[in-house]
Amino acid sequence: MEEHDKRFWRNMTFAQLRNRRVRVSAYGGDMILEFRLTPGIGHTLGARQYTVNGFDIGELFHEGHDGFMELTRQKAPVSIKLLPDEPEYKIIEDITGVQPGDVFVQTNGNKYPVQEITDDGHCLVLIDSNTYRIDDAAFDHALRPAPARIPDRPGLWEDKSGGLYTVWKNGQELWIIQIRESDGRWVNGPALLIGKTGENVNDSTTKDLSSKAPFRFHDGEL
């Protein structure tokens, strides 16, 4: 069994590794799969489906006696890499680009939500329910919440918890419907209009889907 050099799973608990994305290489790199780790029986993690693109993967990790994850023996040698999650924030390094709604990060690491930008360009931040003007010299960077990724093309999409959706076009309109819950139960959810191709997402759909974002395109088998 070939293991990734860093053996990241030995420093992660079931809760920390659950729903994280991994890249699994097998057969000397001839087969490379990317998928989100989902719970199996007990404290085990692996691919939701037992076969992914023809490769029999199933359970990938199980919880060890010390509470950290162990690599489960596979039928073929594998190499595993932990992939980063979708970024939640955009970093703003120029103070003149800060906007209300950003998070002001001071040089000492303190973080405050930006409430307003004054006419002369200074940041007013919220501290203990009160608004204060903060010194520009204390600015290190700001964080701006990244827009929630909503499905933008036909196909299968997964939400952040592993729920599965199908997206299709009807003329110029893009529609979405949930077909499977995160626990694997098949459902027939309501059809929601995302919007017209090339236009902004429908406001009501954004409200319904934003709590489940970010979505990722599902390129594996059902």
Side-chain angles (χ1 to χ4, degrees):
M1 172 66 65
E2 297 176 3
E3 299 177 358
H4 192 268
D5 292 340
K6 294 185 178 179
R7 289 171 52 88
F8 59 85
W9 53 87
R10 290 300 298 136
N11 296 313
M12 301 184 73
T13 64
F14 173 83
Q16 291 172 329
L17 198 51
R18 177 178 180 173
N19 290 328
R20 292 296 303 271
R21 294 171 53 244
V22 293
R23 178 182 294 124
V24 178
S25 301
Y27 302 118
D30 290 339
M31 176 69 73
I32 300 177
L33 308 172
E34 290 187 9
F35 53 87
R36 192 175 300 275
L37 293 169
T38 55
I41 299 174
H43 276 191
T44 63
L45 294 168
R48 178 181 298 281
Q49 56 275 16
Y50 194 69
T51 300
V52 182
N53 290 348
F55 180 65
D56 200 17
I57 188 75
E59 180 185 308
L60 197 58
F61 300 108
H62 62 274
E63 189 174 62
H65 295 298
D66 57 1
F68 295 98
M69 301 307 287
E70 295 273 9
L71 183 64
T72 300
R73 182 176 296 277
Q74 302 296 313
K75 294 182 179 180
V78 296
S79 176
I80 307 168
K81 181 178 181 180
L82 185 65
L83 300 177
D85 286 336
E86 297 284 348
E88 296 181 357
Y89 292 94
K90 176 182 178 182
I91 297 176
I92 310 298
E93 297 181 336
D94 184 352
I95 193 171
T96 62
V98 177
Q99 302 173 0
D102 292 347
V103 177
F104 189 107
V105 182
Q106 291 183 299
T107 53
N108 62 6
N110 289 338
K111 300 177 182 179
Y112 303 108
V114 178
Q115 297 293 101
E116 184 181 342
I117 305 297
T118 64
D119 291 339
D120 55 355
H122 294 287
C123 296
L124 300 181
V125 302
L126 187 66
I127 303 176
D128 295 331
S129 301
N130 295 306
T131 301
Y132 297 92
R133 173 174 163 171
I134 199 163
D135 191 344
D136 290 359
F139 178 81
D140 184 79
H141 64 279
L143 300 174
R144 180 170 300 158
R149 187 184 183 193
I150 302 296
D152 57 4
R153 66 182 188 274
L156 293 175
W157 290 78
E158 281 189 82
D159 64 23
K160 65 181 180 182
S161 299
L164 191 65
Y165 301 72
T166 184
V167 176
W168 73 97
K169 283 182 66 176
N170 182 10
Q172 293 299 309
E173 294 179 342
L174 204 60
W175 290 79
I176 185 171
I177 189 171
Q178 185 171 8
I179 60 174
R180 191 172 64 193
E181 297 281 5
S182 58
D183 60 7
R185 291 183 297 112
W186 295 98
V187 295
N188 185 18
L192 300 174
L193 174 64
I194 296 177
K196 291 187 177 181
T197 305
E199 296 183 0
N200 292 333
V201 177
N202 182 283
D203 288 341
S204 61
T205 301
T206 300
K207 183 177 180 180
D208 288 334
L209 298 181
S210 60
S211 64
K212 301 178 181 180
F215 285 75
R216 73 176 187 89
F217 194 72
H218 179 90
D219 52 6
E221 297 178 0
L222 289 179

